[in-house]
């Protein structure tokens, strides 16, 4: 059953920040700054980036060993492909564009974790940024975004790292200001 919740309060209770967040847990956990450093250095590994097969029909990916037990991926994006709206639950993360460009649309708002199916977003919570080759960002827990290759002709390649390794992804559809939780995926769904 769907239930509309009140609009989200203050847009600036934001998770969308350029500042590295503290480690998600424990002192041994990699910080978002370390995740961002890893994805930047990996994106500069031209031999690795070139080793990823490109498929015009869909995204391709290669699992990497991230720092400090993090989960990392090298991903290719054909023109016009994207992730759809999703979050990464309790995981922090970072990604950098290694080739082409990616557009990120994100919400500068924290969503309630459970107990809702549809949510009307407040005005002013939308953010977007175009990340060119060599550009990246880090994000904190509960970051909600979609990432797209809006190019009409050029593949994009990017490097991503998450810590802790993704426990779940919640996927959303969006119509105007209304966000709807469509499904929750767990690692066993990705095997
Ligand atoms: Fe994501």
């Amino acid at each position: 059953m769907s239930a509309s919740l009140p609009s989200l309060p203050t847009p600036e209770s934001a998770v969308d920040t350029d500042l590295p967040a503290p480690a998600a847990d424990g002192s041994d956990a990699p910080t978002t700054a370390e995740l961002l450093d890893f994805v930047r250095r990996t994106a500069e590994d031209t031999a690795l980036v070139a080793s990823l097969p490109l498929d015009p029909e869909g995204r391709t990916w290669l699992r990497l060993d991230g720092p400090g037990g993090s989960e990392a991926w090298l991903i290719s994006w054909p023109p016009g492909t994207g992730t759809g709206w999703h979050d990464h639950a309790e995981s922090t993360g970072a990604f950098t564009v290694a080739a082409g460009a990616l557009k990120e649309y994100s919400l500068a708002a924290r969503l309630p974790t459970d107990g809702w199916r549809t949510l009307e977003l407040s005005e002013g919570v939308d953010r977007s940024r175009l990340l060119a080759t060599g550009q990246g960002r880090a994000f904190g827990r509960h970051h909600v975004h979609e990432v797209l290759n809006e190019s009409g002709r050029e593949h994009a390649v990017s490097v991503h790292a998450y810590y802790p390794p993704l426990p779940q992804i919640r996927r959303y559809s969006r119509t105007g200001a209304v966000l709807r939780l469509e499904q929750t995926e767990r690692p066993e769904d990705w095997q």
Side-chain angles (χ1 to χ4, degrees):
M1 192 174 96
S2 295
S4 288
L5 296 182
S7 296
L8 290 166
T10 55
E12 298 308 331
S13 61
V15 292
D16 186 6
T17 171
D18 288 320
L19 297 176
D25 60 59
S27 59
D28 293 337
T31 64
T32 51
E34 289 168 334
L35 296 178
L36 186 58
D37 181 60
F38 168 80
V39 295
R40 282 182 167 153
R41 283 186 289 104
T42 304
E44 292 170 355
D45 184 340
T46 52
L48 175 69
V49 171
S51 74
L52 181 64
L54 303 183
D55 179 351
E57 300 300 322
R59 288 191 289 159
T60 56
W61 50 86
L62 184 65
R63 179 82 183 251
L64 305 173
D65 289 327
S70 60
E71 176 177 338
W73 297 91
L74 179 65
I75 300 176
S76 80
W77 311 67
T81 55
T83 58
W85 284 95
H86 65 276
D87 68 22
H88 323 86
E90 300 288 328
S91 293
T92 64
F95 64 98
T96 287
V97 177
L102 290 173
K103 188 75 170 281
E104 182 197 40
Y105 297 92
S106 59
L107 299 180
R110 172 95 178 247
L111 304 183
T113 51
D114 284 306
W116 63 278
R117 284 296 304 276
T118 62
L119 195 65
E120 183 173 351
L121 300 169
S122 302
E123 283 187 30
V125 299
D126 283 293
R127 300 286 184 273
S128 67
R129 64 181 74 192
L130 182 65
L131 298 168
T133 300
Q135 296 183 319
R137 66 158 303 168
F139 53 82
R141 290 181 283 173
H142 305 291
H143 183 55
V144 183
H145 69 172
E146 72 170 339
V147 180
L148 304 165
N149 177 7
E150 294 186 338
S151 166
R153 52 189 170 76
E154 190 179 10
H155 255 83
V157 178
S158 55
V159 183
H160 303 245
Y162 309 93
Y163 189 87
L166 293 171
Q168 66 175 30
I169 290 179
R170 294 192 299 180
R171 295 196 176 277
Y172 308 98
S173 61
R174 182 169 176 183
T175 305
V178 176
L179 199 65
R180 172 183 287 271
L181 176 62
E182 296 292 351
Q183 69 186 84
T184 299
E185 298 176 2
R186 298 182 184 280
E188 54 268 30
D189 300 324
W190 308 328
Q191 303 296 322

